[in-house]
């Protein structure tokens, strides 16, 4: 996270000095944030990294309907002009502040690859602003299945957002639901399998809700991400072990055991590949030699499977008593999947290395 330190003094200095005089003492760029704007700390961090002192105003740009209208990073020189204008003319809106800055050197930072949630609520009814806020808690890699499932997850987040519940509480709840699903699958029988599949879908909804709750409460953490990752993989191993037992009870034989070992082995290798995927920095788009289109397509596939989109198919097959189909396809798919994850992780590392070399070449 970016650490944000707020200046406690108002623009009108309590010592009686004019705002222009007060900012004469400042030597660092100043963030201007529209009071009705919700932002991701990573946006501010990226802006600080990109502000090299050769421009007076840095604003982010993104191709969305919301835009980044409510954020700018300005030099002390421009901030003095804005402060003096406020002192002369009183309160101003965001557009007025930007016009006050005049024709000073501006720069636009491309953050199109950076997940962020920005919302200007100044012209929206409160209920519509809230709906837009909850819709903004997804990710750019979300598939249509994830987007629709997030609507159910948002109901969970709405119920918990003003309580003391934390994202880790939801992570643990999702884990226990997933393990309960694995237990029911292990017991076999149509009713148990159907109930287990339903609990797996419910675990998936809660799993999405924990990240959404973390973002809306600004409680995202690397530790929480790793906890979610480890427990998800434990659930997957339990589910696929139970599925192997179901198929073996129906058709005992070495073929089932072989595919079961293949399934569990592929799941373990996928977990190891995902560990590399999470450790390697994502890198950034929009620079020479950047990611190919296929990289982003494969990364979308990885994120979709990571979030258990398969849970709904699992429930459907359980309902029609064809869960063994998932077993045969999954055993092969798991061993096709982990090489894709490993490829995406290595491409991430290559992009990060190339970006680092590019940035070092630009430094004086």
């Amino acid at each position: 996270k970016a650490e944000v330190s707020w200046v406690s003094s108002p623009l009108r200095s309590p010592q009686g000095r004019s705002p222009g005089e007060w900012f004469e003492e400042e030597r660092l760029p100043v963030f201007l944030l529209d009071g009705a704007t919700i932002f991701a700390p990573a946006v501010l961090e990226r802006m600080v990294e990109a502000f090299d002192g050769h421009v007076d105003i840095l604003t982010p740009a993104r191709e969305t309907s919301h835009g980044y209208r409510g954020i700018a990073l300005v030099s002390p020189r421009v901030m003095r002009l804005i402060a003096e204008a406020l002192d002369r003319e009183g309160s101003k809106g965001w557009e007025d502040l930007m016009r006050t800055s005049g024709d000073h050197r501006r720069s636009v930072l491309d953050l199109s690859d950076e997940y962020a949630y920005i919302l200007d609520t100044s012209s929206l009814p409160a209920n519509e602003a809230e709906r837009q806020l909850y819709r903004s808690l997804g990710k750019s890699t979300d598939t249509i299945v994830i987007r629709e499932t997030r609507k159910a997850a948002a109901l969970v987040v709405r119920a918990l957002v003003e309580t003391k519940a934390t994202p880790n509480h939801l992570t643990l709840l999702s884990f226990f639901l997933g393990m309960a699903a694995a237990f029911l699958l292990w017991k076999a029988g149509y009713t148990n399998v159907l109930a287990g599949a339903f609990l797996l879908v419910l675990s998936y909804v809660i799993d999405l809700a924990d990240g959404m709750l973390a973002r809306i409460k600004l409680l995202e953490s690397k530790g929480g991400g790793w906890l979610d990752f480890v427990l998800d993989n434990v659930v997957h191993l339990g589910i696929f072990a139970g599925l192997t037992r179901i198929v073996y009870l129906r058709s005992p034989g070495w073929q089932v055991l072989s595919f079961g070992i293949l399934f569990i082995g592929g799941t373990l290798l996928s977990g190891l590949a995902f560990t590399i995927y999470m450790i390697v920095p994502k890198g950034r788009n929009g620079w020479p030699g950047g990611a190919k289109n296929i990289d982003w397509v494969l990364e979308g596939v990885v994120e979709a499977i990571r979030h258990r989109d398969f849970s709904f198919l699992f429930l459907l097959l359980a309902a029609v008593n064809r869960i063994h189909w998932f077993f045969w396809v999954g055993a092969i798919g798991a061993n096709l999947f982990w090489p894709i994850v490993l490829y995406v992780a290595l491409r991430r590392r290559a992009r990060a290395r190339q970006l680092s070399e590019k940035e070092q070449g630009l430094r004086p």
Side-chain angles (χ1 to χ4, degrees):
K1 291 185 178 179
E3 180 178 345
V4 181
S5 298
W6 299 102
V7 177
S8 58
S9 301
L11 287 182
R12 288 185 180 276
S13 171
Q15 290 78 22
R17 292 172 295 170
S18 70
E21 293 173 336
W22 189 75
F23 278 100
E24 284 286 352
E25 301 174 3
E26 297 300 303
R27 295 293 182 267
L28 297 174
V30 179
F31 273 113
L32 288 180
L33 304 175
D34 187 340
T37 301
I38 298 170
F39 55 91
V43 171
L44 304 186
E45 189 176 35
R46 289 281 300 277
M47 291 177 70
V48 170
E49 292 174 355
F51 196 88
D52 58 7
H54 298 300
V55 296
D56 290 315
I57 303 169
L58 177 68
T59 56
R62 190 187 191 196
E63 294 180 0
T64 70
S65 57
H66 296 139
Y68 285 90
R69 187 182 63 81
I71 299 180
L73 184 60
V74 301
S75 68
R77 182 161 65 100
V78 173
M79 192 61 230
R80 286 195 297 272
L81 296 176
I82 293 176
E84 289 167 356
L86 287 171
D87 192 38
R88 289 193 310 269
E89 304 170 26
S91 299
K92 287 175 172 257
W94 177 260
E95 295 85 352
D96 294 330
L97 288 179
M98 289 296 96
R99 281 195 291 270
T100 300
S101 64
D103 297 325
H104 290 83
R105 294 168 297 177
R106 294 174 181 266
S107 179
V108 176
L109 176 63
D110 179 15
L111 289 172
S112 58
D113 63 318
E114 182 78 66
Y115 170 73
Y117 37 100
I118 309 290
L119 176 63
D120 173 21
T121 63
S122 57
S123 60
L124 293 173
N127 57 346
E128 176 59 24
E130 184 177 348
R131 281 195 293 270
Q132 288 196 25
L133 172 60
Y134 280 96
R135 284 199 297 268
S136 72
L137 294 176
K139 294 184 176 181
S140 59
T141 53
D142 284 354
T143 63
I144 186 172
V145 174
I146 296 177
R147 286 196 298 271
E148 292 302 313
T149 309
R150 285 196 190 278
K151 293 179 181 179
L155 298 177
V156 178
V157 176
R158 284 173 182 265
L160 298 177
V161 70
E162 295 186 17
T163 71
K164 294 183 179 180
T166 68
N168 286 346
H169 291 153
L170 290 184
T171 299
L172 291 173
L173 176 59
S174 174
F175 169 70
F176 289 129
L177 288 172
M179 293 309 294
F183 173 74
L184 289 172
L185 293 178
W186 188 263
K187 291 182 67 175
Y190 176 79
T191 302
N192 288 329
V193 172
L194 184 60
F198 176 78
L199 286 182
L200 182 62
V201 171
L202 185 58
S203 171
Y204 170 44
V205 173
I206 301 300
D207 188 47
L208 288 179
D210 66 1
M212 296 167 67
L213 186 66
R215 288 189 282 277
I216 201 169
K217 282 192 168 187
L218 299 180
L219 292 176
E220 294 170 280
S221 69
K222 290 184 178 179
W226 279 106
L227 176 66
D228 188 37
F229 167 72
V230 171
L231 295 185
D232 279 355
N233 278 277
V234 173
V235 169
H236 292 162
L237 288 173
I239 292 294
F240 300 148
L243 183 57
T244 300
R245 185 170 188 270
I246 291 170
V247 179
Y248 184 79
L249 290 176
R250 291 183 179 181
S251 306
W254 65 269
Q255 298 95 335
V256 174
L257 291 178
S258 298
F259 268 73
I261 294 172
L262 194 64
F263 206 163
I264 300 301
T267 302
L268 288 171
L269 289 173
S270 295
L272 292 174
F274 257 119
T275 301
I276 301 173
Y277 175 85
M278 292 178 65
I279 292 174
V280 176
K282 182 178 180 180
R284 298 167 192 165
N285 196 7
W287 41 275
K292 301 175 182 178
N293 289 336
I294 187 63
D295 292 341
W296 302 117
V297 171
L298 291 177
E299 190 148 342
V301 171
V302 167
E303 288 291 329
I305 297 178
R306 175 186 182 182
H307 283 296
R308 301 189 211 164
D309 280 19
F310 65 83
S311 301
F312 293 102
L313 176 61
F314 198 91
L315 177 60
L316 176 63
L317 292 175
V320 298
N321 203 21
R322 293 291 185 274
I323 199 68
H324 55 284
W325 291 359
F326 190 95
F327 172 77
W328 300 111
V329 174
I332 297 172
N335 289 279
L336 294 176
F337 179 58
W338 70 260
I340 295 176
V341 179
L342 186 60
Y343 168 81
V344 171
L346 294 177
R347 283 294 299 161
R348 272 189 173 191
R349 186 173 67 174
R351 294 198 305 271
R353 185 188 299 117
Q354 189 172 354
L355 176 63
S356 177
E357 293 172 353
K358 178 176 181 288
E359 288 178 340
Q360 290 176 6
L362 293 175
R363 291 173 186 166

